[in-house]
Amino acid sequence: MTTVRRAVLTLPVAPLGPDNPLPALRAPAGAGAHAVDARTLAELPRDMARGIGRAPLRSLLPTPLRDGYGRERTPADLDTIVIENDRLRVTVLPGLGGRVHSLHHKPTGRELLYRNPVLQPAAFALNGAWFSGGIEWNIGATGHTTLSCSPLHAATVRAPDGGPMLRLWEWERLRDLPFQVDLWLPEGSDFLYVGVRVRNPHERTAPAYWWSNTAVPEERRILAPADAAWHHGYERGLDRLPVPVTEDGTDRSYPLNGAHAADFFYDLPEERRRWIAALDADGHGLVQTSTDALRGRKLFLWGTGRGGRRWQEWLTEPGTPGYAEVQAGLARTQLEHLELAGEGEFSWLEAYGPLAADPATALGDDWAAARADVEHRLETALPRAAVDAAYTAWREGAADTEPETVLAAGSGWGALEVLRGGYALPGTPFPESTLGPDQEPWRELLRTGVLPPPAKGTGPGAPLVSAPWRDMLETAPADPSTEYHLGIAQWHAGDRAQAVRSWERGLHRAEVRWPLLYCLAVADREDGHPARAAERFAEAFDDHERRDGGAVVAAALGREAVTALLATGRPGQAREVWARLPDEVRGRGSFRFLEIRVLLAEGRPAEARAVFDAGFEVADLREGAEILGDVWAEITDEPLPDAYEFRMRPSR
């Protein structure tokens, strides 16, 4: 019989560390890596272009930036939930976005996923911390979800067949939408069933995004029912290419045939069954299929170039085999967002399991025959009609079922929204008991109309930015803390001039000035006043230093101040700020690299080169970042050492 139980997994782990204390007022760093240039956009199908241009993120609000992790890993116990029948054992990490860490097929002893042997955060999520491996559930906007390293609510529920089912759920804050992921193993099944629902409890239409990303060993052939794919690299293009053999004669169905990191979004015909498979040299591997609502399929590969290989090492242990990703999403490409009607939902069912094909056919040169063989074997193992029937049984008979045994707790933000909006969300309760310290000031605002100030000596607290909370802030007594939060909500709404006025009013009466100075500095920089922005960043750092507010805030403000001062040609002031940072902060890789930039601005290239030669690691280096190579090129014409080679596109 199927069981659902708690367990513990021990891995080498780099701890997440503290969140960045500064409000994330700007668009996600590295967002340009997923952009499409204007020329390409004009040539795309009209509906695709609309989806790409729909509701781009102007900031990460209200979520925090997660950049407090490092590169030092030590063994740690991770809470897991194991779903098991006589055929499969599924290991889930509820505290890390509900990631499926392992999908083990018991009769063959095969691991169907790429299972990362370490947990190493890296700056790939929209808000920073993310890790590789397994199956991840991405909701929000183009990129990896802000919940990549966050806890989800988890509980057992009755599956459609009466057995136990694991439900994961949370409130996604970028788009203000609740969602659920239900995982179950029918008795005797070789397939993990996953029912997903994204709901919009509001009256307004909301932009919606979902991609389920599955990591598989990269020594695989990737097959999908398509003859063409939209290719997206890191050069802002989106081109429709034939598959598997592209115009340059390369068979792109093998990830290791690519030199550079790239996405291939398969152009699936409307009437075809949705599936994607990753098979090894013996014809064995993983297949994923779904109901038709999950329209898109994608291959992501790192490529064989130096940058791609370096990223593979960065995300795991050196010497570990690499991985690729097979993905499934609501839209044709990962660059698009759909419209989810007010009080509507998107729901679908996915299935993951083993597939054994004839290697001579599935890995042969006849693409049509290879696809037909895989599709036939999938239909034999799990008929399309069975997937549709399972979806209907889940949606009509289990999706609204209330949880039975709580296994893990997520955040209190959903409870706060339900308390404010009075939403009825059958199947995904957000009880008031989950409210915590971050939500308490906002519950007080809801109850009394007054936002209590932060405790003396503490930071300003987590922001909320949706229209109802903004309305409450506008009518609350206008003390400095309220003006700070009101300005953040106005900034998020696009009313930047009013946000600046709110922050300036708050600054006039504030005892603790650095939070408001930081916001005003960002506004200055965004409005094209870099010199004034640099002055305000430096003033914010000074104010915090006088109060001895701790290394976390000092690091965040110091990094902003030094960067802004260098950008405006003031290396002396930048050096002064850098020197006043705590020793522990200056020793971090990102600050050693910042010192290199200061040294270059001071005209000391030999000393800058010495820091490179001594070695450092920028733990929160962003996906697609080329800054290490650019700065190296200012020092020398020598080739960039492998340790600093993270470029994901052809050399310019």
Side-chain angles (χ1 to χ4, degrees), residues 512-563:
V512 179
R513 296 165 54 84
W514 66 260
L516 292 150
L517 285 166
Y518 166 78
C519 292
L520 289 166
V522 172
D524 283 334
R525 184 159 58 191
E526 296 290 306
D527 290 341
H529 304 293
R532 191 166 68 200
E535 292 167 4
R536 279 178 159 160
F537 280 129
E539 189 180 351
F541 180 80
D542 292 344
D543 181 73
H544 173 266
E545 187 182 46
R546 284 195 298 272
R547 300 175 190 286
D548 191 23
V552 175
V553 177
L557 288 174
R559 193 171 183 174
E560 294 280 5
V562 172
T563 302

Side-chain angles (χ1 to χ4, degrees), residues 489-506:
Q490 290 164 335
W491 180 271
H492 176 264
D495 191 353
R496 295 191 168 187
Q498 189 58 55
V500 168
R501 284 192 285 271
S502 296
W503 291 328
E504 287 176 340
R505 285 196 304 268

Side-chain angles (χ1 to χ4, degrees), residues 166-453:
L166 172 63
R167 173 162 298 157
L168 306 167
W169 74 101
E170 232 324 339
W171 197 284
E172 199 284 316
R173 301 180 68 208
L174 284 183
R175 302 303 195 183
D176 209 17
L177 302 175
F179 70 97
Q180 71 188 80
V181 180
D182 289 353
L183 304 97
W184 77 100
L185 293 172
E187 189 172 348
S189 174
D190 279 307
F191 284 82
L192 169 67
Y193 286 11
V194 183
V196 183
R197 175 164 61 171
V198 180
R199 287 191 273 200
N200 180 5
H202 314 292
E203 295 181 356
R204 56 174 172 78
T205 298
Y209 170 95
W210 184 281
W211 281 80
S212 303
N213 293 6
T214 304
V216 294
E218 64 183 349
E219 294 181 350
R220 297 289 186 268
R221 189 182 204 190
I222 310 303
L223 299 101
D227 292 310
W230 294 94
H231 168 259
H232 181 261
Y234 286 78
E235 297 178 287
R236 298 190 144 200
L238 189 62
D239 305 304
R240 193 173 186 271
L241 303 176
V243 293
V245 179
T246 51
E247 293 162 350
D248 63 359
T250 304
D251 187 341
R252 300 294 183 179
S253 64
Y254 292 92
L256 287 173
N257 283 351
H260 302 286
D263 302 323
F264 289 91
F265 299 101
Y266 295 104
D267 197 358
L268 276 61
E270 288 295 331
E271 71 280 0
R272 296 300 296 271
R273 183 177 185 180
R274 269 62 177 141
W275 60 268
I276 190 167
L279 305 181
D280 65 17
D282 297 325
H284 291 269
L286 171 83
V287 65
Q288 186 270 1
T289 188
S290 71
T291 49
D292 290 350
L294 201 64
R295 178 183 185 183
R297 292 297 185 277
K298 170 190 161 182
L299 162 65
F300 168 76
L301 57 94
W302 283 106
T304 57
R306 289 205 307 156
R309 305 330 291 172
R310 182 69 178 111
W311 275 117
Q312 294 264 32
E313 293 179 350
W314 189 252
L315 297 170
T316 184
E317 294 280 13
T320 301
Y323 75 96
E325 288 184 358
V326 292
Q327 306 182 8
L330 283 174
R332 279 174 297 184
T333 74
Q334 215 167 37
L335 312 178
E336 301 166 74
H337 297 80
L338 305 183
E339 287 187 335
L340 179 52
E343 301 180 349
E345 69 172 53
F346 288 137
S347 61
W348 63 91
L349 185 125
E350 306 179 44
Y352 297 80
L355 188 112
D358 173 17
T361 303
L363 278 63
D365 294 334
D366 188 333
W367 179 244
R371 286 178 3 212
D373 182 63
V374 171
E375 190 154 348
H376 170 72
R377 292 172 187 272
L378 172 59
E379 185 67 18
T380 301
L382 185 64
R384 184 178 187 177
V387 174
D388 292 340
Y391 166 73
T392 300
W394 166 74
R395 182 62 193 87
E396 296 180 356
D400 288 347
T401 302
E402 293 302 316
E404 297 176 353
T405 303
V406 174
L407 300 175
S411 77
W413 295 112
L416 186 68
E417 293 302 327
V418 169
L419 190 64
R420 182 199 59 76
Y423 302 120
L425 299 168
T428 55
F430 293 95
E432 287 191 48
S433 60
T434 61
L435 292 169
D438 285 343
Q439 294 83 41
E440 190 55 41
W442 297 100
R443 178 160 67 166
E444 189 70 10
L445 173 65
L446 185 63
R447 188 178 67 85
T448 67
V450 178
L451 184 70

